[in-house]
Amino acid sequence: ASLACAAKLAQAGYQVTIFEAAEKAGGVLTYGITPARLPQHVVDFDIKTVKDLGVKFVFGTKVGEDITIDELKKAGFKAFFIGAGLWSSKVPDIPGKDLKGVTSAIDFLKAARESKGAFDPGKTVVVIGGGDVAMDCATTAKLLGADVKIYYRRTLEEAPANMTEIQYATSLGIPITTNFAPKEILGKGKVEFAVFKGRDGVSEAKVAADTVIFAIGQAPEDMTKIAPVKITEKGTIAANAKGKTNVAGIFAAGDVVNGGKTVVEAVAAGKEAAAEIIAYLTKKEGVK
């Protein structure tokens, strides 16, 4: 969303700077999608295209912590777009969740992607979840040599993952056990077992594992640290279809608004927001 917004603004003749907390641009495209699905050279090409439009990048800088909106305003910035994505992982409050070897999907995929194939996922991996991200974690761990199992709290028919992704996981020999929700993680300092409670209220499963990956969804970090924007019950930024927030001059779009959809939808939303930013600046003071 941010790259699309920046590109459209730059094409319209505006000077644009992207402040990125990470060391590389691309957000979830760079850190959260497996290379088999989206090779890095494709992402790098798109980023270079944006850079070639004159967009500046400032890395390792988190707005709201390393620098504030007020400071940026004093530096001359006239409008702001928030496309921070979903980087806070959802982990159930169960015993053992803090044991070594227990991780979130986004942290696992980021570590695996950055390692360029050298990442050790563990010998026995249990992935908890039934969405596309859970399938990505499972297939990534499998292709890196792990023995992988997926556990999901509902039925396969209720799983949010695309059936193609489920079929790909099972084609690799990854079993999917349904109707079992995580109850606790056992281990002495490091995870040794994952314990699940059956949906029937009676059954239990105790599964050996040295890595447990929670892939049950992501949420935004606290966006009010960036600006006093209105937040929904899910922690996302309340913005309209054009990216307008309750604060004049501050716009938002992408996963941080819609709660996590497709890349295509994020790109479209970023472009919509750019058009609204242009209208805002033109009406406000003709800034270009």
Side-chain angles (χ1 to χ4, degrees), residues 228-266:
V229 290
K230 184 179 179 181
I231 302 297
T232 69
E233 291 180 357
K234 295 182 178 180
T236 55
I237 295 176
N240 69 10
K242 295 183 178 181
K244 288 180 68 175
T245 71
N246 62 304
V247 182
I250 297 181
F251 304 80
D255 288 356
V256 77
V257 171
N258 65 35
K261 293 186 178 180
T262 66
V263 173
V264 173
E265 287 171 293

Side-chain angles (χ1 to χ4, degrees), residues 188-245:
K188 296 180 179 179
K190 189 181 188 309
V191 58
E192 297 176 22
F193 297 95
V195 180
F196 296 87
K197 186 76 172 179
R199 200 175 187 180
D200 59 10
V202 179
S203 305
E204 276 197 359
K206 184 179 180 181
V207 187
D210 50 27
T211 300
V212 173
I213 304 168
F214 281 104
I216 58 175
Q218 284 88 242
E221 296 180 353
D222 184 2
M223 292 295 103
T224 59
K225 290 183 177 180
I226 296 177
V229 290
K230 184 179 179 181
I231 302 297
T232 69
E233 291 180 357
K234 295 182 178 180
T236 55
I237 295 176
N240 69 10
K242 295 183 178 181
K244 288 180 68 175
T245 71

Side-chain angles (χ1 to χ4, degrees), residues 144-215:
L144 288 170
D147 175 22
V148 185
K149 297 178 178 66
I150 297 173
Y151 277 76
Y152 178 54
R153 65 191 177 99
R154 295 196 174 107
T155 65
L156 205 57
E157 290 77 15
E158 294 173 281
N162 187 290
M163 188 51 67
T164 302
E165 303 303 324
I166 293 173
Q167 290 172 342
Y168 177 51
T170 55
S171 74
L172 294 177
I174 301 171
I176 302 175
T177 302
T178 58
N179 294 309
F180 276 86
K183 179 183 177 182
E184 62 179 325
I185 310 297
L186 302 176
K188 296 180 179 179
K190 189 181 188 309
V191 58
E192 297 176 22
F193 297 95
V195 180
F196 296 87
K197 186 76 172 179
R199 200 175 187 180
D200 59 10
V202 179
S203 305
E204 276 197 359
K206 184 179 180 181
V207 187
D210 50 27
T211 300
V212 173
I213 304 168
F214 281 104

Side-chain angles (χ1 to χ4, degrees), residues 5-232:
C5 181
K8 185 163 184 175
L9 287 169
Q11 288 171 332
Y14 291 87
Q15 295 179 340
V16 185
T17 300
I18 293 179
F19 291 87
E20 170 59 58
E23 296 178 358
K24 298 178 182 178
V28 73
L29 305 182
T30 294
Y31 293 109
I33 300 177
T34 60
R37 188 194 300 275
L38 182 63
Q40 188 60 41
H41 70 84
V42 175
V43 181
D44 291 341
F45 176 83
D46 287 344
I47 293 170
K48 183 179 183 301
T49 300
V50 176
K51 286 182 177 179
D52 289 346
L53 290 171
V55 175
K56 298 178 182 178
F57 288 80
V58 179
F59 296 107
T61 303
K62 196 167 189 176
V63 177
E65 293 184 12
D66 301 312
I67 195 168
T68 66
I69 290 284
D70 286 340
E71 289 172 330
L72 292 172
K73 285 180 179 179
K74 290 177 181 178
F77 290 94
K78 305 295 183 182
F80 303 87
F81 174 81
I82 303 173
L86 309 174
W87 293 96
S88 180
S89 299
K90 295 179 181 177
V91 176
D93 188 16
I94 60 174
K97 67 176 183 177
D98 297 321
L99 287 172
K100 184 179 180 182
V102 179
T103 186
S104 67
I106 197 68
D107 289 340
F108 177 82
L109 291 173
K110 182 179 179 181
R113 180 148 187 157
E114 289 181 317
S115 73
K116 297 181 179 180
F119 180 68
D120 180 9
K123 291 182 179 180
T124 54
V125 175
V126 170
V127 178
I128 300 171
D132 287 337
V133 175
M135 302 303 142
D136 278 349
C137 290
T139 55
T140 297
K142 183 70 174 182
L143 294 172
L144 288 170
D147 175 22
V148 185
K149 297 178 178 66
I150 297 173
Y151 277 76
Y152 178 54
R153 65 191 177 99
R154 295 196 174 107
T155 65
L156 205 57
E157 290 77 15
E158 294 173 281
N162 187 290
M163 188 51 67
T164 302
E165 303 303 324
I166 293 173
Q167 290 172 342
Y168 177 51
T170 55
S171 74
L172 294 177
I174 301 171
I176 302 175
T177 302
T178 58
N179 294 309
F180 276 86
K183 179 183 177 182
E184 62 179 325
I185 310 297
L186 302 176
K188 296 180 179 179
K190 189 181 188 309
V191 58
E192 297 176 22
F193 297 95
V195 180
F196 296 87
K197 186 76 172 179
R199 200 175 187 180
D200 59 10
V202 179
S203 305
E204 276 197 359
K206 184 179 180 181
V207 187
D210 50 27
T211 300
V212 173
I213 304 168
F214 281 104
I216 58 175
Q218 284 88 242
E221 296 180 353
D222 184 2
M223 292 295 103
T224 59
K225 290 183 177 180
I226 296 177
V229 290
K230 184 179 179 181
I231 302 297
T232 69

